[in-house]
Amino acid sequence: MPKSAMFKKPQPWTEVAPQLVDVAMGRRPADMVVRNGRWVNVHSGEVLPGTDVAIAAGRFAYCGPDASHAIGEKTKVVDATGRYLVPGLCDAHMHVESGMVTVTEFCRAVIPHGTTSMFIDPHEIANVLGLPGVRLMHDEALAQAINVFVQMPSCVPSAPGLENAGATLDADDVAEAMGWENIVGLGEVMNFPGVAANDPVMTSEIAATVRSGKTVGGHFASPNLGRAFHGYVAGGPEDDHEGTRMEDAIARVRQGMKAMLRLGSAWYDVASQIKAVTEAGIDPRNFILCTDDSHSGTLVQEGHMDRVVRHAIAQGLPPVTAIQMATLNTAQHFRMERELGSIAPGRLADFLIVSNLAGLVIDEVYGRGVRLAKGRKLEADIPAYDYPAKVKKTVKLGKRLTARDFDIPAPDGVRSVRARVIGVIENQAPTRALTADLGVAKGTVSMDRRNDICQIALVERHRATGAVTNGFVSGFGYTQDCAMASTVAHDSHHMIVVGTNKEDMAAAANRLGAVGGGVVMFSKGKELAMVELPIAGLMSDERAEVVAAKAAKLASVMRDMGCSLNNAYMQHSLLALVVIPELRISDTGLIDVTTFSKVDLFV
């Protein structure tokens, strides 16, 4: 049993309610009383000065003007000295694997930033290890000092017929997982054409979730809000985080969905969509803040949900409204309003002491009535969680790759070709479908570094087939001989290699095969930086700050190679995501995601 299992799951409210009543009535002393705070009440939208809160059994028992009647000899008393009492922040949709660390290390990184509840979708590890991988993260989540709830992955693979993952999940797997104690819903339903077409797998998974009384997560990535969108909503998804425009947020809310606005390491979708509230006057109760994907560098250096809330406030939201979108709105969406999301009697005592509300300056973080962090420093002892050795041997290339594996043969007798090119869009998940005229030398198509067109390859890594799918990508701006390879390649998580030099592409791919996965940059045959990710080729077994330092070095050498994109690694990792328009690469070929069909590399 891992040491981190010492964090016990809180007792149900039904078992401790009499104790809470006795504390509120003064018949029994509280475990802790926080005095003289400014209560940020997300239910009423008020900030109430001169407030005391009394805590017992890890839950709030009394919230009001004077809790002196709940103070006994052994009661711990904390003086808030007029600072704000804010509910612990909730991340409504996120993937731990994107942090390149385990659940435990992710918690260690985000607790000092005020996150006390996370709703995670482990579909990354599911694409590599299937249901056993989900179970591993589910069990690790239960052992944490904060609340980590799991949504069962819905689409593994994300687009059947267009890609082949390392594993598959079906409706029976989803139905089984709905009985696990920590499963709170169905993860983002990415196969939106399947839902609109009444695909039996999708309808069965959604029905199993609804029968369990749990939440169905959405993922409608098309900008087309026509008939297919309406069919998707009618199929059951209850939220969506794929909007990028104000009209996207408005359309979702009008259809009864929750609009999830994300600010991750590379997805900046809050500013454009929050105008639905600040300019169009749409009810903010139906908006939720989340991160989706945050890598370790962002977590350690910039923050987590506190970063998102500050950003939302900077876009013109009142601070209390922004906090509601990261606390109460999330709890209500997952049918957990009685458990978390506010400072109110009966709820888990997850709260922050904040000295500046508009800037969300967090002085102290409490989870279940225990102080976990102070002054942006973790105080809780959270030991590492051990993963079994069998999950650390998942990169199977089948052969040693050479530069010739990355050759792209041209049609016979031509001197140039018009090729389809994946166009990266900075700070957004979608790509553009571009074309470019490229030269041919000795029967092989040449990349065009001067016009920012380099080569992309997807290397199959689950079944040791040795297969390589080649194409072209634009937007990274590499000016030097180089190549970056990554076994983080949403969603099927084969290996993506992007480079300007085929020898470096082969060297980078072979290096990751040797170490069991990660991200590495080569230039002129030399390894410049690497983040080892041995757990399923997705996560490190090192501390978050160690991973963040390695990721920072990787970002630095990417810039040295000419790449100026913000968080270019995140853009790299999504180039095979065949459920978000417009053009992607998979192990089956080049995919037009506007039509969900395979297309030829040459026009």
Side-chain angles (χ1 to χ4, degrees), residues 573-588:
S573 71
L574 261 63
L575 293 172
L577 186 51
V578 294
V579 292
I580 297 183
E582 294 176 339
L583 190 63
R584 305 283 167 169
I585 193 170
S586 88
D587 62 310
T588 68

Side-chain angles (χ1 to χ4, degrees), residues 402-403 406 447 449 454-457 459 473 476 478-486 495-512 518-530 554 557-558 560-563 572:
T402 69
F406 301 96
M447 59 189 91
R449 188 190 304 176
C454 56
Q455 201 161 315
I456 179 172
V459 180
V473 65
F476 286 101
Y478 292 130
T479 58
Q480 307 297 314
D481 284 342
C482 65
M484 191 171 88
S486 172
M495 183 190 298
I496 292 179
V497 189
V498 172
T500 61
N501 178 283
K502 296 174 187 177
E503 286 77 14
D504 285 331
M505 293 177 75
N510 290 327
R511 179 67 169 135
L512 292 188
V519 192
V520 67
M521 173 69 84
F522 267 73
S523 178
K524 299 179 180 178
K526 181 180 178 182
E527 180 183 310
L528 301 183
M530 180 164 66
L554 181 71
V557 299
M558 291 179 78
D560 291 344
M561 295 297 104
C563 181
H572 181 113

